[in-house]
């Protein structure tokens, strides 16, 4: 075991502050990574403030962070994919049972025994796992990803959650040229969804509550831009979408979007507001529409997504911040005021 610097919250109402945490020494199959950048996901904020207490209660202290890019510093004797000095990445998953049907299908994100990067039982050290708001991390090789060399590490970090969470449902629902795709909520996830839908050849419509994001939406790849609070603008798209990805972090009217789907259209929820959403039966049955959800993505698909990003030169639009600004960043996230992901420069942890 060794100690490493980190930022943790001691309770649902405490700010994140500097601390030190234990990490295991790498076993024969582990990779030790010095973290360069870690993205700030809205899920970090939900977890730090225990907003998902009903489904995934938070154990304190919590060290969040699951959008990790870093440099390999050590590898175990059986590790074959990585060597010291390599650029490597870790997302939301650090372990799973490897034997259940989900794992066998490469869908580790649905394993009943999956271990999340933070706030999951730590079978090595006891207590819970600690995430990427830290100087280093030790992870089983199977859960470590390769980062294409042409991608900027600060912008690549958010691909590990915001990227895969939006890429995976688009692949599952077969998004391709000629389809009309809506993206709801231009935050960390939403802005990546616009980029992916555009790269896959779809006609992309961005839905937002923030009219000021219009020029950005076009730059990110949206063909059309709708201010969702404007009923007339919404009406013009009634019954016309093949697919809508909903990445909103707060309560909102989902029926307004279901009604924009065409026959057999699908709306996939990736946003995870704590309170249930009210769904109108009529919005679904009148056009055989479907509503579904999606949870990050498996390890193989995460690598596929990173390679796709390498090929298309896609990264997140990031505001790089020092760790000392993390609490301020959380407040800005609540106001939908980020362009479009915060990426923490972990070099800033050295001065703590
Ligand atoms: P984010 O950066 O904060 O973006 C959320 C966006 O939602 C905001 O930028 C805003 O976009 C819109 N929004 C916020 N409040 C709203 C409201 N009251 N009504 C309508 N729109 C609102 O968050 P994120 O990191 O992208 O995460 C989004 C959600 O996905 C979170 O709930 C997160 O926990 C969840 N998530 C799920 C998965 C998964 O696997 N399913 C993975 C990661 C994250 P506009 O300004 O454009 O309106
Ligand atoms: Zn996330």
């Amino acid at each position: 075991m060794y100690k490493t610097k980190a930022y943790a919250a001691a309770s649902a109402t405490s700010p994140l502050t500097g601390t030190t945490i234990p990490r295991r020494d790498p076993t024969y199959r582990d990779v030790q990574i010095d973290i360069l950048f870690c993205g700030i996901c809205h899920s970090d904020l939900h977890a730090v403030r225990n907003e998902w207490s009903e489904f995934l209660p938070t154990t304190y202290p919590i060290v969040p962070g699951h959008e990790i890019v870093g440099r390999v510093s050590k590898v175990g004797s059986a590790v074959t994919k990585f060597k010291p000095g390599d650029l490597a990445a870790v997302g939301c998953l650090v372990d799973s049972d490897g034997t259940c049907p989900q794992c066998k299908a490469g869908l580790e994100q649905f394993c009943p025994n999956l271990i999340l990067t933070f706030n999951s039982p730590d079978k090595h050290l006891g207590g819970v796992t600690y995430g990427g708001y830290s100087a280093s991390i030790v992870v089983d090789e199977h859960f470590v990803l390769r980062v294409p060399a042409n991608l900027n590490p600060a912008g690549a970090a958010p691909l590990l959650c915001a990227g895969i969470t939006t890429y995976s449902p688009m692949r599952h629902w077969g998004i391709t040229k000629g389809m009309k795709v809506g993206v709801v909520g231009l935050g960390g996830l939403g802005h990546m969804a616009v980029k992916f839908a555009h790269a896959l050849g779809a006609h992309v419509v961005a839905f937002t509550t923030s009219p000021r994001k219009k020029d950005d939406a076009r730059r990110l790849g949206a063909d059309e831009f709708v201010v969702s609070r404007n009923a007339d603008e919404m009406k013009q798209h009634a019954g016309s979408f093949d697919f809508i990805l909903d990445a909103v972090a707060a309560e909102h009217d989902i029926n307004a979007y279901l009604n924009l789907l065409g026959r057999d259209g699908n709306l996939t929820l990736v946003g995870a507001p704590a309170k249930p959403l009210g769904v109108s039966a009529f919005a679904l049955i009148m056009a055989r529409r479907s509503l579904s959800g999606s949870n990050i993505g498996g390890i193989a698909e995460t690598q596929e997504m990173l390679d796709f990003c390498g090929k298309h030169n896609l990264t997140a639009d990031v505001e790089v911040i020092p760790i000392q600004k993390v609490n301020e960043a959380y407040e800005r996230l609540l106001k939908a005021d980020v362009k479009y992901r915060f990426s923490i420069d972990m070099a800033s942890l050295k001065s703590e």
Side-chain angles (χ1 to χ4, degrees):
M1 196 187 84
Y2 70 99
K3 298 245 176 199
T4 195
K5 286 184 179 178
Y7 254 53
S11 79
T13 52
S14 312
L16 290 144
T17 53
T19 184
T20 55
I21 53 165
R23 294 287 191 199
R24 67 178 181 269
D25 290 317
T27 70
Y28 69 102
R29 51 188 293 166
D30 285 334
V31 177
Q32 183 174 330
I33 298 166
D34 288 337
I35 300 175
L36 296 171
F37 293 95
C38 183
I40 299 182
C41 178
H42 208 111
S43 303
D44 298 350
L45 189 157
H46 289 306
V48 163
R49 303 198 176 171
N50 205 10
E51 289 171 0
W52 291 335
S53 56
E54 240 180 274
F55 317 98
L56 210 75
T58 302
T59 301
Y60 294 94
I62 176 175
V63 177
H66 57 205
E67 294 184 334
I68 300 166
V69 167
R71 198 61 74 190
V72 174
S73 57
K74 249 189 220 173
V75 297
S77 57
V79 169
T80 57
K81 279 196 305 186
F82 298 94
K83 57 179 191 320
D86 287 352
L87 203 58
V90 177
C92 303
L93 307 173
V94 290
D95 209 352
S96 67
D97 62 29
T99 55
C100 72
Q102 311 299 342
C103 287
K104 284 190 173 148
L107 299 170
E108 297 90 344
Q109 75 272 32
F110 303 124
C111 171
N113 300 306
L114 78 87
I115 303 294
L116 296 168
T117 306
F118 60 85
N119 197 40
S120 271
D122 184 335
K123 71 179 182 201
H124 298 269
L125 297 179
V128 290
T129 51
Y130 293 132
Y133 296 9
S134 60
S136 76
I137 192 165
V138 178
V139 177
D140 184 305
E141 173 183 34
H142 178 70
F143 295 88
V144 182
L145 288 307
R146 290 182 307 277
V147 182
N150 59 317
L151 300 183
N152 162 277
L159 300 176
L160 277 298
C161 178
I164 184 60
T165 301
T166 51
Y167 179 84
S168 180
M170 288 199 204
R171 296 286 289 159
H172 179 75
W173 289 95
I175 302 316
T176 184
K177 231 186 183 66
M179 283 186 164
K180 185 171 175 184
V181 169
V183 174
V184 188
L186 282 182
L189 267 58
H191 96 289
M192 283 312 306
V194 169
K195 291 189 184 204
F196 284 134
H198 177 72
L200 291 167
H203 180 88
V204 188
V205 182
F207 292 92
T208 183
T209 58
S210 310
R212 67 178 187 280
K213 293 181 181 173
K214 182 169 187 173
D215 292 343
D216 288 339
R218 297 250 182 229
R219 184 177 48 76
L220 296 167
D223 299 286
E224 296 182 67
F225 179 83
V226 173
V227 176
S228 51
R229 289 182 175 138
N230 182 326
D232 285 340
E233 279 187 49
M234 291 289 279
K235 223 189 268 167
Q236 284 170 26
H237 291 276
S240 68
F241 281 88
D242 297 294
F243 178 77
I244 297 178
L245 192 82
D246 183 331
V248 174
E251 275 177 89
H252 60 291
D253 177 15
I254 191 149
N255 301 306
Y257 297 101
L258 288 173
N259 284 320
L260 302 187
L261 292 171
R263 171 171 58 74
D264 292 322
N266 170 267
L267 187 151
T268 293
L269 271 179
V270 287
K275 292 210 183 112
L277 300 164
V279 176
S280 152
F282 285 89
L284 291 175
I285 64 182
M286 296 313 282
R288 203 164 55 190
R289 296 167 175 138
S290 65
L291 168 63
S292 56
S294 192
N295 181 30
I296 44 174
I299 295 300
E301 194 175 48
T302 304
Q303 190 61 61
E304 177 193 308
M305 178 274 310
L306 285 167
D307 295 344
F308 180 91
C309 288
K311 196 170 146 205
H312 294 267
N313 218 356
L314 288 180
T315 50
D317 287 25
V318 288
E319 286 190 45
V320 176
I321 58 162
I323 188 90
Q324 292 77 9
K325 290 234 159 122
V326 67
N327 296 301
E328 198 181 301
Y330 275 29
E331 292 312 311
R332 286 185 52 198
L333 213 52
L334 287 172
K335 292 187 238 153
D337 173 25
V338 51
K339 291 190 163 191
Y340 276 83
R341 198 58 143 184
F342 292 110
S343 186
I344 307 169
D345 181 352
M346 278 310 156
S348 59
L349 202 49
K350 295 201 177 98
S351 64
E352 284 285 314

